[in-house]
mmCIF file of all heavy atoms in Angstrom:
data_model
loop_
_atom_site.group_PDB
_atom_site.id
_atom_site.type_symbol
_atom_site.label_atom_id
_atom_site.label_comp_id
_atom_site.label_asym_id
_atom_site.label_seq_id
_atom_site.Cartn_x
_atom_site.Cartn_y
_atom_site.Cartn_z
ATOM 1 N N GLY A 25 46.214 147.740 88.937
ATOM 2 C CA GLY A 25 47.335 148.454 88.325
ATOM 3 C C GLY A 25 48.689 147.937 88.754
ATOM 4 O O GLY A 25 49.642 147.977 87.967
ATOM 5 N N MET A 26 48.810 147.447 89.975
ATOM 6 C CA MET A 26 50.110 146.979 90.476
ATOM 7 C C MET A 26 50.427 145.551 90.075
ATOM 8 O O MET A 26 51.521 145.052 90.375
ATOM 9 C CB MET A 26 50.131 147.082 92.010
ATOM 10 C CG MET A 26 49.996 148.501 92.531
ATOM 11 S SD MET A 26 49.914 148.590 94.334
ATOM 12 C CE MET A 26 51.576 148.066 94.749
ATOM 13 N N SER A 27 49.525 144.876 89.418
ATOM 14 C CA SER A 27 49.764 143.472 89.039
ATOM 15 C C SER A 27 50.583 143.324 87.771
ATOM 16 O O SER A 27 50.998 142.209 87.438
ATOM 17 C CB SER A 27 48.423 142.754 88.859
ATOM 18 O OG SER A 27 47.664 143.365 87.827
ATOM 19 N N ALA A 28 50.803 144.411 87.043
ATOM 20 C CA ALA A 28 51.526 144.314 85.766
ATOM 21 C C ALA A 28 52.962 143.863 86.001
ATOM 22 O O ALA A 28 53.629 144.313 86.928
ATOM 23 C CB ALA A 28 51.504 145.663 85.056
ATOM 24 N N SER A 29 53.425 142.947 85.172
ATOM 25 C CA SER A 29 54.785 142.433 85.278
ATOM 26 C C SER A 29 55.281 142.040 83.894
ATOM 27 O O SER A 29 54.494 141.851 82.959
ATOM 28 C CB SER A 29 54.851 141.226 86.222
ATOM 29 O OG SER A 29 54.062 140.157 85.724
ATOM 30 N N ASN A 30 56.586 141.909 83.789
ATOM 31 C CA ASN A 30 57.222 141.516 82.530
ATOM 32 C C ASN A 30 57.390 140.001 82.518
ATOM 33 O O ASN A 30 58.095 139.445 83.357
ATOM 34 C CB ASN A 30 58.576 142.203 82.389
ATOM 35 C CG ASN A 30 59.171 142.034 80.999
ATOM 36 O OD1 ASN A 30 58.702 141.226 80.205
ATOM 37 N ND2 ASN A 30 60.202 142.809 80.711
ATOM 38 N N PRO A 31 56.747 139.293 81.593
ATOM 39 C CA PRO A 31 56.862 137.823 81.589
ATOM 40 C C PRO A 31 58.271 137.328 81.282
ATOM 41 O O PRO A 31 58.571 136.153 81.525
ATOM 42 C CB PRO A 31 55.881 137.394 80.487
ATOM 43 C CG PRO A 31 55.734 138.589 79.620
ATOM 44 C CD PRO A 31 55.874 139.780 80.511
ATOM 45 N N ARG A 32 59.143 138.186 80.775
ATOM 46 C CA ARG A 32 60.511 137.764 80.457
ATOM 47 C C ARG A 32 61.416 137.766 81.671
ATOM 48 O O ARG A 32 62.518 137.218 81.607
ATOM 49 C CB ARG A 32 61.090 138.689 79.384
ATOM 50 C CG ARG A 32 60.335 138.619 78.062
ATOM 51 C CD ARG A 32 60.962 139.535 77.026
ATOM 52 N NE ARG A 32 60.233 139.471 75.750
ATOM 53 C CZ ARG A 32 60.565 140.172 74.670
ATOM 54 N NH1 ARG A 32 61.613 141.006 74.713
ATOM 55 N NH2 ARG A 32 59.858 140.063 73.566
ATOM 56 N N ARG A 33 60.980 138.397 82.748
ATOM 57 C CA ARG A 33 61.800 138.428 83.945
ATOM 58 C C ARG A 33 61.583 137.165 84.765
ATOM 59 O O ARG A 33 60.446 136.752 84.997
ATOM 60 C CB ARG A 33 61.451 139.650 84.795
ATOM 61 C CG ARG A 33 61.837 140.976 84.133
ATOM 62 C CD ARG A 33 61.484 142.134 85.038
ATOM 63 N NE ARG A 33 61.814 143.411 84.417
ATOM 64 C CZ ARG A 33 61.572 144.594 84.970
ATOM 65 N NH1 ARG A 33 60.963 144.649 86.162
ATOM 66 N NH2 ARG A 33 61.896 145.707 84.347
ATOM 67 N N PRO A 34 62.670 136.540 85.239
ATOM 68 C CA PRO A 34 62.494 135.299 86.009
ATOM 69 C C PRO A 34 61.885 135.540 87.387
ATOM 70 O O PRO A 34 61.237 134.662 87.937
ATOM 71 C CB PRO A 34 63.923 134.753 86.129
ATOM 72 C CG PRO A 34 64.809 135.963 85.982
ATOM 73 C CD PRO A 34 64.089 136.883 85.045
ATOM 74 N N ASN A 35 62.112 136.721 87.951
ATOM 75 C CA ASN A 35 61.604 137.027 89.290
ATOM 76 C C ASN A 35 60.474 138.042 89.197
ATOM 77 O O ASN A 35 60.525 138.972 88.389
ATOM 78 C CB ASN A 35 62.722 137.585 90.181
ATOM 79 C CG ASN A 35 63.819 136.565 90.425
ATOM 80 O OD1 ASN A 35 63.542 135.377 90.523
ATOM 81 N ND2 ASN A 35 65.058 137.028 90.498
ATOM 82 N N ASN A 36 59.483 137.859 90.042
ATOM 83 C CA ASN A 36 58.340 138.761 90.064
ATOM 84 C C ASN A 36 58.245 139.390 91.459
ATOM 85 O O ASN A 36 57.948 138.720 92.440
ATOM 86 C CB ASN A 36 57.051 137.994 89.746
ATOM 87 C CG ASN A 36 55.853 138.924 89.655
ATOM 88 O OD1 ASN A 36 56.008 140.134 89.540
ATOM 89 N ND2 ASN A 36 54.672 138.353 89.701
ATOM 90 N N TRP A 37 58.535 140.689 91.509
ATOM 91 C CA TRP A 37 58.527 141.412 92.769
ATOM 92 C C TRP A 37 57.216 142.153 92.992
ATOM 93 O O TRP A 37 57.094 142.917 93.958
ATOM 94 C CB TRP A 37 59.686 142.413 92.805
ATOM 95 C CG TRP A 37 61.027 141.749 92.790
ATOM 96 C CD1 TRP A 37 61.792 141.476 91.701
ATOM 97 C CD2 TRP A 37 61.756 141.256 93.920
ATOM 98 N NE1 TRP A 37 62.952 140.846 92.068
ATOM 99 C CE2 TRP A 37 62.962 140.704 93.430
ATOM 100 C CE3 TRP A 37 61.507 141.232 95.293
ATOM 101 C CZ2 TRP A 37 63.913 140.138 94.267
ATOM 102 C CZ3 TRP A 37 62.457 140.672 96.134
ATOM 103 C CH2 TRP A 37 63.638 140.136 95.622
ATOM 104 N N ASN A 38 56.265 141.958 92.121
ATOM 105 C CA ASN A 38 55.030 142.734 92.225
ATOM 106 C C ASN A 38 54.268 142.445 93.516
ATOM 107 O O ASN A 38 53.730 143.360 94.142
ATOM 108 C CB ASN A 38 54.120 142.446 91.027
ATOM 109 C CG ASN A 38 54.657 143.081 89.762
ATOM 110 O OD1 ASN A 38 55.857 143.278 89.618
ATOM 111 N ND2 ASN A 38 53.777 143.425 88.839
ATOM 112 N N LEU A 39 54.216 141.176 93.893
ATOM 113 C CA LEU A 39 53.466 140.822 95.093
ATOM 114 C C LEU A 39 54.117 141.410 96.337
ATOM 115 O O LEU A 39 53.421 141.890 97.247
ATOM 116 C CB LEU A 39 53.363 139.301 95.212
ATOM 117 C CG LEU A 39 52.500 138.778 96.365
ATOM 118 C CD1 LEU A 39 51.080 139.315 96.265
ATOM 119 C CD2 LEU A 39 52.490 137.254 96.375
ATOM 120 N N LEU A 40 55.451 141.400 96.381
ATOM 121 C CA LEU A 40 56.146 141.976 97.526
ATOM 122 C C LEU A 40 55.913 143.480 97.606
ATOM 123 O O LEU A 40 55.659 144.029 98.689
ATOM 124 C CB LEU A 40 57.637 141.672 97.433
ATOM 125 C CG LEU A 40 58.499 142.160 98.600
ATOM 126 C CD1 LEU A 40 58.043 141.519 99.903
ATOM 127 C CD2 LEU A 40 59.976 141.854 98.334
ATOM 128 N N VAL A 41 55.976 144.154 96.468
ATOM 129 C CA VAL A 41 55.709 145.595 96.440
ATOM 130 C C VAL A 41 54.259 145.875 96.828
ATOM 131 O O VAL A 41 53.957 146.847 97.534
ATOM 132 C CB VAL A 41 56.039 146.165 95.047
ATOM 133 C CG1 VAL A 41 55.627 147.632 94.954
ATOM 134 C CG2 VAL A 41 57.520 146.010 94.748
ATOM 135 N N ALA A 42 53.336 145.016 96.369
ATOM 136 C CA ALA A 42 51.924 145.193 96.707
ATOM 137 C C ALA A 42 51.695 145.033 98.209
ATOM 138 O O ALA A 42 50.930 145.797 98.822
ATOM 139 C CB ALA A 42 51.071 144.203 95.929
ATOM 140 N N LEU A 43 52.340 144.062 98.836
ATOM 141 C CA LEU A 43 52.203 143.879 100.284
ATOM 142 C C LEU A 43 52.763 145.076 101.048
ATOM 143 O O LEU A 43 52.190 145.507 102.052
ATOM 144 C CB LEU A 43 52.908 142.594 100.714
ATOM 145 C CG LEU A 43 52.265 141.282 100.251
ATOM 146 C CD1 LEU A 43 53.126 140.098 100.676
ATOM 147 C CD2 LEU A 43 50.863 141.142 100.807
ATOM 148 N N LEU A 44 53.873 145.611 100.552
ATOM 149 C CA LEU A 44 54.422 146.810 101.177
ATOM 150 C C LEU A 44 53.451 147.988 101.043
ATOM 151 O O LEU A 44 53.263 148.767 101.986
ATOM 152 C CB LEU A 44 55.771 147.153 100.544
ATOM 153 C CG LEU A 44 56.479 148.399 101.084
ATOM 154 C CD1 LEU A 44 56.792 148.234 102.561
ATOM 155 C CD2 LEU A 44 57.774 148.667 100.299
ATOM 156 N N GLY A 45 52.829 148.113 99.868
ATOM 157 C CA GLY A 45 51.828 149.161 99.686
ATOM 158 C C GLY A 45 50.632 148.983 100.605
ATOM 159 O O GLY A 45 50.075 149.973 101.100
ATOM 160 N N PHE A 46 50.225 147.735 100.842
ATOM 161 C CA PHE A 46 49.103 147.485 101.761
ATOM 162 C C PHE A 46 49.452 147.934 103.171
ATOM 163 O O PHE A 46 48.625 148.549 103.866
ATOM 164 C CB PHE A 46 48.747 145.995 101.744
ATOM 165 C CG PHE A 46 47.675 145.621 102.739
ATOM 166 C CD1 PHE A 46 46.345 145.773 102.421
ATOM 167 C CD2 PHE A 46 48.014 145.133 103.992
ATOM 168 C CE1 PHE A 46 45.353 145.438 103.335
ATOM 169 C CE2 PHE A 46 47.031 144.793 104.911
ATOM 170 C CZ PHE A 46 45.697 144.947 104.578
ATOM 171 N N VAL A 47 50.673 147.628 103.610
ATOM 172 C CA VAL A 47 51.091 148.024 104.958
ATOM 173 C C VAL A 47 51.098 149.545 105.090
ATOM 174 O O VAL A 47 50.635 150.102 106.097
ATOM 175 C CB VAL A 47 52.477 147.426 105.273
ATOM 176 C CG1 VAL A 47 53.010 147.970 106.591
ATOM 177 C CG2 VAL A 47 52.405 145.907 105.331
ATOM 178 N N VAL A 48 51.608 150.231 104.070
ATOM 179 C CA VAL A 48 51.643 151.695 104.109
ATOM 180 C C VAL A 48 50.222 152.258 104.147
ATOM 181 O O VAL A 48 49.916 153.177 104.923
ATOM 182 C CB VAL A 48 52.428 152.231 102.905
ATOM 183 C CG1 VAL A 48 52.315 153.754 102.824
ATOM 184 C CG2 VAL A 48 53.889 151.822 102.982
ATOM 185 N N TYR A 49 49.343 151.722 103.316
ATOM 186 C CA TYR A 49 47.973 152.211 103.265
ATOM 187 C C TYR A 49 47.246 151.959 104.583
ATOM 188 O O TYR A 49 46.518 152.828 105.091
ATOM 189 C CB TYR A 49 47.245 151.546 102.104
ATOM 190 C CG TYR A 49 45.922 152.178 101.739
ATOM 191 C CD1 TYR A 49 45.555 153.422 102.235
ATOM 192 C CD2 TYR A 49 45.031 151.534 100.892
ATOM 193 C CE1 TYR A 49 44.346 154.008 101.896
ATOM 194 C CE2 TYR A 49 43.816 152.117 100.534
ATOM 195 C CZ TYR A 49 43.487 153.348 101.056
ATOM 196 O OH TYR A 49 42.290 153.931 100.729
ATOM 197 N N TYR A 50 47.424 150.797 105.153
ATOM 198 C CA TYR A 50 46.769 150.479 106.424
ATOM 199 C C TYR A 50 47.275 151.392 107.537
ATOM 200 O O TYR A 50 46.500 151.834 108.398
ATOM 201 C CB TYR A 50 47.020 149.015 106.785
ATOM 202 C CG TYR A 50 46.237 148.541 107.989
ATOM 203 C CD1 TYR A 50 44.906 148.163 107.881
ATOM 204 C CD2 TYR A 50 46.840 148.479 109.247
ATOM 205 C CE1 TYR A 50 44.192 147.737 108.990
ATOM 206 C CE2 TYR A 50 46.130 148.052 110.355
ATOM 207 C CZ TYR A 50 44.802 147.681 110.220
ATOM 208 O OH TYR A 50 44.103 147.274 111.321
ATOM 209 N N ASN A 51 48.584 151.691 107.536
ATOM 210 C CA ASN A 51 49.119 152.613 108.537
ATOM 211 C C ASN A 51 48.566 154.022 108.344
ATOM 212 O O ASN A 51 48.365 154.764 109.324
ATOM 213 C CB ASN A 51 50.640 152.628 108.481
ATOM 214 C CG ASN A 51 51.253 151.360 109.036
ATOM 215 O OD1 ASN A 51 50.676 150.696 109.884
ATOM 216 N ND2 ASN A 51 52.426 150.996 108.545
ATOM 217 N N LEU A 52 48.335 154.418 107.099
ATOM 218 C CA LEU A 52 47.733 155.723 106.849
ATOM 219 C C LEU A 52 46.307 155.783 107.386
ATOM 220 O O LEU A 52 45.865 156.824 107.889
ATOM 221 C CB LEU A 52 47.752 156.034 105.348
ATOM 222 C CG LEU A 52 49.114 156.382 104.748
ATOM 223 C CD1 LEU A 52 48.998 156.574 103.239
ATOM 224 C CD2 LEU A 52 49.681 157.643 105.391
ATOM 225 N N ILE A 53 45.573 154.683 107.281
ATOM 226 C CA ILE A 53 44.220 154.636 107.856
ATOM 227 C C ILE A 53 44.280 154.814 109.375
ATOM 228 O O ILE A 53 43.476 155.549 109.965
ATOM 229 C CB ILE A 53 43.527 153.315 107.484
ATOM 230 C CG1 ILE A 53 43.323 153.226 105.965
ATOM 231 C CG2 ILE A 53 42.198 153.178 108.200
ATOM 232 C CD1 ILE A 53 42.738 151.914 105.498
ATOM 233 N N THR A 54 45.252 154.158 110.012
ATOM 234 C CA THR A 54 45.416 154.321 111.458
ATOM 235 C C THR A 54 45.845 155.740 111.806
ATOM 236 O O THR A 54 45.401 156.314 112.813
ATOM 237 C CB THR A 54 46.437 153.307 111.977
ATOM 238 O OG1 THR A 54 46.052 151.985 111.577
ATOM 239 C CG2 THR A 54 46.513 153.344 113.495
ATOM 240 N N LEU A 55 46.711 156.323 110.982
ATOM 241 C CA LEU A 55 47.136 157.699 111.218
ATOM 242 C C LEU A 55 45.970 158.678 111.082
ATOM 243 O O LEU A 55 45.871 159.646 111.839
ATOM 244 C CB LEU A 55 48.249 158.074 110.246
ATOM 245 C CG LEU A 55 49.664 157.611 110.603
ATOM 246 C CD1 LEU A 55 50.633 157.990 109.502
ATOM 247 C CD2 LEU A 55 50.109 158.206 111.929
ATOM 248 N N SER A 56 45.102 158.426 110.123
ATOM 249 C CA SER A 56 43.934 159.306 109.968
ATOM 250 C C SER A 56 43.054 159.270 111.211
ATOM 251 O O SER A 56 42.462 160.285 111.588
ATOM 252 C CB SER A 56 43.142 158.898 108.723
ATOM 253 O OG SER A 56 42.570 157.606 108.878
ATOM 254 N N GLN A 57 42.975 158.110 111.852
ATOM 255 C CA GLN A 57 42.211 158.023 113.100
ATOM 256 C C GLN A 57 42.842 158.895 114.176
ATOM 257 O O GLN A 57 42.142 159.626 114.892
ATOM 258 C CB GLN A 57 42.154 156.571 113.573
ATOM 259 C CG GLN A 57 41.445 156.384 114.900
ATOM 260 C CD GLN A 57 41.519 154.954 115.406
ATOM 261 O OE1 GLN A 57 42.242 154.131 114.848
ATOM 262 N NE2 GLN A 57 40.791 154.658 116.465
ATOM 263 N N SER A 58 44.170 158.845 114.298
ATOM 264 C CA SER A 58 44.833 159.673 115.316
ATOM 265 C C SER A 58 44.741 161.155 114.982
ATOM 266 O O SER A 58 44.646 161.990 115.882
ATOM 267 C CB SER A 58 46.296 159.242 115.447
ATOM 268 O OG SER A 58 46.997 159.461 114.236
ATOM 269 N N TRP A 59 44.758 161.501 113.692
ATOM 270 C CA TRP A 59 44.624 162.910 113.306
ATOM 271 C C TRP A 59 43.265 163.466 113.737
ATOM 272 O O TRP A 59 43.175 164.567 114.271
ATOM 273 C CB TRP A 59 44.790 163.060 111.800
ATOM 274 C CG TRP A 59 46.172 162.774 111.306
ATOM 275 C CD1 TRP A 59 47.327 162.808 112.034
ATOM 276 C CD2 TRP A 59 46.544 162.373 109.987
ATOM 277 N NE1 TRP A 59 48.398 162.453 111.246
ATOM 278 C CE2 TRP A 59 47.953 162.185 109.993
ATOM 279 C CE3 TRP A 59 45.838 162.157 108.804
ATOM 280 C CZ2 TRP A 59 48.650 161.795 108.858
ATOM 281 C CZ3 TRP A 59 46.530 161.770 107.672
ATOM 282 C CH2 TRP A 59 47.922 161.598 107.705
ATOM 283 N N VAL A 60 42.215 162.690 113.481
ATOM 284 C CA VAL A 60 40.874 163.149 113.843
ATOM 285 C C VAL A 60 40.700 163.134 115.357
ATOM 286 O O VAL A 60 40.123 164.060 115.937
ATOM 287 C CB VAL A 60 39.806 162.279 113.152
ATOM 288 C CG1 VAL A 60 38.410 162.694 113.587
ATOM 289 C CG2 VAL A 60 39.938 162.385 111.638
#
């Protein structure tokens, strides 16, 4: 779902946003460990 992009745009920020989402998700996994 996050790979969608507009081919008319010269810059593609999707990969950067996806990497940021990965970092957030991975931190949530670590947080779930501390919660339990």
Side-chain angles (χ1 to χ4, degrees):
M26 297 176 68
S27 61
S29 62
N30 190 348
R32 297 181 180 180
R33 293 181 181 178
N35 296 325
N36 184 16
W37 295 93
N38 287 28
L39 185 58
L40 183 60
V41 174
L43 291 176
L44 180 61
F46 175 84
V47 173
V48 172
Y49 193 13
Y50 187 81
N51 288 333
L52 287 176
I53 296 176
T54 306
L55 279 177
S56 66
Q57 177 185 9
S58 63
W59 292 338
V60 177

